[in-house]
Amino acid sequence: MSRPLLQLALDYTELQPALRDAALLSDSVDIIEAGTLLCLTEGLEAVRQLRQLCPQKLIVADWKVADAGETLAEQAFNAGANWMTVICAAPLATVEKAHQVAVARGGEIQIELFGNWTFDDARAWHKTGIRQAIYHRGRDAQASGQTWGAEDLARMKVLSDIGLELSITGGITPADLPLFRDINVKAFIAGRALSGATNPQQVAQDFHVQIREIWGAKA
Ligand code: 5RP
């Protein structure tokens, strides 16, 4: 198991606070995500500006693409993204098209696991060459009381065995990390825990302390 990375998700509906947080936390995180909310509001400019502000960072375009995989992947990677998300409900043809563009640009596609998907889907994604997925508890599901449980952990282990590297997200805080100690985690993706904090840099440090304590010996 390698040591999980920390990803900042910028889910603002305006660019300025997103750029402010990116500048503040760039040295404290490994990956910066142009969140779905931000991209729906500000479009490609969100990815372009984050690339300009953080030239050395991995940048994710969290577009949750459902169709037109080739065109949207070209736009995301041209704007400076390293990784782009495709929703698990997308047809396999969309996944394949997006993946082909990603490979040509040295990028990667991440499959967003929300709602309905199966392990056969996961095997099919892996067969196309996809190597990353995001295990996601949606914010609406969280607000309606959905918690992390044994079923999630069991499904994560099967996904790992299939060969998918997993990032985990959905209201994650540093206190949640011990729950995932037996999972091979690519990255923890945190939005509100960082952006909503009084001292976001301190919270980022709290994440890193937990990550080192739990996975440090395994890095
Ligand atoms: C929402 C997302 C978010 O970026 C992700 O879940 C992280 O945000 P938070 O930590 O606030 O839940 O992809 O669809």
Side-chain angles (χ1 to χ4, degrees):
M1 274 200 231
S2 56
R3 190 185 291 165
L5 303 172
L6 180 60
Q7 178 169 328
L8 166 66
L10 296 164
D11 281 310
Y12 290 101
T13 53
E14 289 171 39
L15 199 45
Q16 284 319 313
L19 295 177
R20 178 202 62 209
D21 282 8
L24 181 70
L25 288 166
S26 176
D27 290 341
S28 306
V29 300
D30 306 293
I31 308 163
I32 295 181
E33 168 194 317
T36 314
L37 297 180
L38 181 66
C39 291
L40 283 172
T41 316
E42 298 284 356
L44 276 172
E45 199 54 21
V47 179
R48 284 198 201 101
Q49 296 254 354
L50 288 171
R51 169 53 65 216
Q52 204 176 349
L53 184 68
C54 309
Q56 308 304 329
K57 287 283 157 184
L58 285 168
I59 302 283
V60 180
D62 184 19
W63 291 359
K64 300 182 174 70
V65 165
D67 194 10
E70 182 175 4
T71 304
L72 291 174
E74 279 170 359
Q75 294 209 319
F77 293 118
N78 284 347
N82 302 95
W83 301 343
M84 182 190 83
T85 61
V86 171
I87 194 75
C88 57
L92 197 57
T94 300
V95 174
E96 284 170 339
K97 289 285 187 188
H99 177 65
Q100 283 162 12
V101 175
V103 168
R105 308 293 176 88
E108 288 190 49
I109 298 300
Q110 300 176 292
I111 304 293
E112 278 267 356
L113 302 177
F114 260 123
N116 298 323
W117 54 272
T118 67
F119 292 125
D120 281 343
D121 292 330
R123 287 184 198 96
W125 299 323
H126 187 264
K127 204 169 165 193
T128 69
I130 296 290
R131 291 296 177 265
Q132 288 202 58
I134 300 175
Y135 198 101
H136 201 144
R137 174 180 63 168
R139 65 168 65 191
D140 296 335
Q142 181 188 2
S144 71
Q146 188 179 318
T147 54
W148 298 106
E151 194 186 336
D152 294 305
L153 300 175
R155 293 188 339 152
M156 288 174 192
K157 283 187 181 165
V158 176
L159 289 164
S160 289
D161 289 345
I162 287 171
L164 294 170
E165 295 182 301
L166 286 187
S167 292
I168 298 176
T169 192
I172 293 280
T173 68
D176 293 321
L177 269 50
L179 182 63
F180 306 104
R181 64 171 60 251
D182 294 326
I183 306 295
N184 196 6
V185 182
K186 172 90 171 176
F188 286 104
I189 306 172
R192 290 162 291 172
L194 292 168
S195 293
T198 311
N199 185 344
Q201 288 165 313
Q202 180 58 56
V203 177
Q205 284 318 307
D206 295 344
F207 270 106
H208 287 299
V209 167
Q210 284 277 47
I211 287 171
R212 270 197 302 274
E213 276 181 10
I214 299 168
W215 288 273
K218 296 167 180 167

